[in-house]
Amino acid sequence: MRATSRFLLIGLASLALAAPVSGQRSDDQILPKSAELQKQGRALYSAGKLTEAEDLFETALAVDPRNRGAFVDLARVAEKQHLFGKAIRMTNKALQLEPNDADAIAIQGEAMVELGAVARAQQNLQKLQTICRQGCPQVAQLSAAITRGPTVASAKTPETPKTN
C-alpha cells in the first residue's frame, strides 16, 4: 500500500513538472516576427547601415531571445565596428544555443585573432575542421584570418609623447 502511494505521488509529480515543458517551442522554431526583423537587419547591414542593422537585430532578439542568427549577425556588426569583445560575447550567446554553429565559431575566432588570442582562435579552427569534415567556407575564412594576424592592432601607431 505504501509503495503504491509513493509511485502514484512520484508519477503525479513528474507529470506536473513535464507539463510546462511540453508547451515550449523547440530551439529551431524562431518567431516569424523575429525572423522578419533579422531579415530587415541583414538588408541594412549589406547597405552599410550598421547602427540601424544593430537596432533591428537587437529588436529581433527582444522578440525571440533564441534567435541564434540574430546573435551571429550582431557579432558581425560588432566586428565591423572593431568591437571585438562584443563580437565574442554575441557569438558565445549563439554557441550556448547551438555549440556547433560554424558561423559563430568562425566569427568568434576572427575576433580572437584581432585581440591577439591566436592560440584560442586556432582551437576554434580545429573545432570547425571537426564539424566540417568536407570543408566549409568558415574553415577557409578563419584560417586566412589566423594567417593574416591582427589587422587593427598593426594599423594603430603608438603615440609619441608630447614635448613642450
Side-chain angles (χ1 to χ4, degrees), residues 30 33-39 41-42 53-78 86-87 90-91 93-94 97 101 104 107:
I30 304 302
K33 180 65 177 171
S34 180
E36 179 59 31
L37 289 165
Q38 182 184 2
K39 183 179 174 184
R42 284 182 177 168
E54 181 179 23
D55 290 344
L56 282 175
F57 295 141
E58 288 175 353
T59 304
L61 286 169
V63 170
D64 192 343
R66 289 169 309 157
N67 187 340
R68 182 182 72 230
F71 282 118
V72 173
D73 289 335
L74 270 174
R76 285 186 176 107
V77 170
K86 181 177 180 180
M90 292 300 111
T91 55
K93 290 180 180 185
L97 296 171
D101 185 323
I107 292 168

Side-chain angles (χ1 to χ4, degrees), residues 9-47:
L9 190 61
I10 290 171
L12 288 173
S14 65
L15 182 62
L17 290 174
V21 174
S22 64
Q24 293 180 353
R25 292 175 289 124
S26 65
D27 287 344
D28 62 347
Q29 294 178 335
I30 304 302
L31 291 175
K33 180 65 177 171
S34 180
E36 179 59 31
L37 289 165
Q38 182 184 2
K39 183 179 174 184
Q40 293 171 11
R42 284 182 177 168
L44 289 170
Y45 176 83
S46 295

Side-chain angles (χ1 to χ4, degrees), residues 30-153:
I30 304 302
L31 291 175
K33 180 65 177 171
S34 180
E36 179 59 31
L37 289 165
Q38 182 184 2
K39 183 179 174 184
Q40 293 171 11
R42 284 182 177 168
L44 289 170
Y45 176 83
S46 295
K49 298 180 179 181
L50 299 180
T51 304
E52 294 90 344
E54 181 179 23
D55 290 344
L56 282 175
F57 295 141
E58 288 175 353
T59 304
L61 286 169
V63 170
D64 192 343
R66 289 169 309 157
N67 187 340
R68 182 182 72 230
F71 282 118
V72 173
D73 289 335
L74 270 174
R76 285 186 176 107
V77 170
E79 238 186 352
K80 286 275 191 187
Q81 296 171 331
H82 301 286
L83 301 172
F84 303 111
K86 181 177 180 180
I88 291 171
R89 283 193 309 279
M90 292 300 111
T91 55
N92 279 338
K93 290 180 180 185
L95 292 170
Q96 286 175 348
L97 296 171
E98 173 53 56
N100 293 328
D101 185 323
D103 286 330
I105 294 168
I107 292 168
Q108 184 181 67
E110 289 176 20
M112 289 175 176
V113 168
E114 293 299 335
L115 292 175
V118 178
R120 290 190 61 199
Q122 193 72 32
Q123 291 172 352
N124 278 28
L125 179 60
Q126 290 171 353
K127 185 174 182 179
L128 272 176
Q129 290 168 335
T130 302
I131 293 168
C132 303
R133 293 266 183 220
Q134 286 89 17
C136 54
Q138 294 89 344
V139 171
Q141 174 185 344
L142 181 54
S143 182
I146 291 171
T147 302
R148 179 183 64 241
T151 57
V152 175

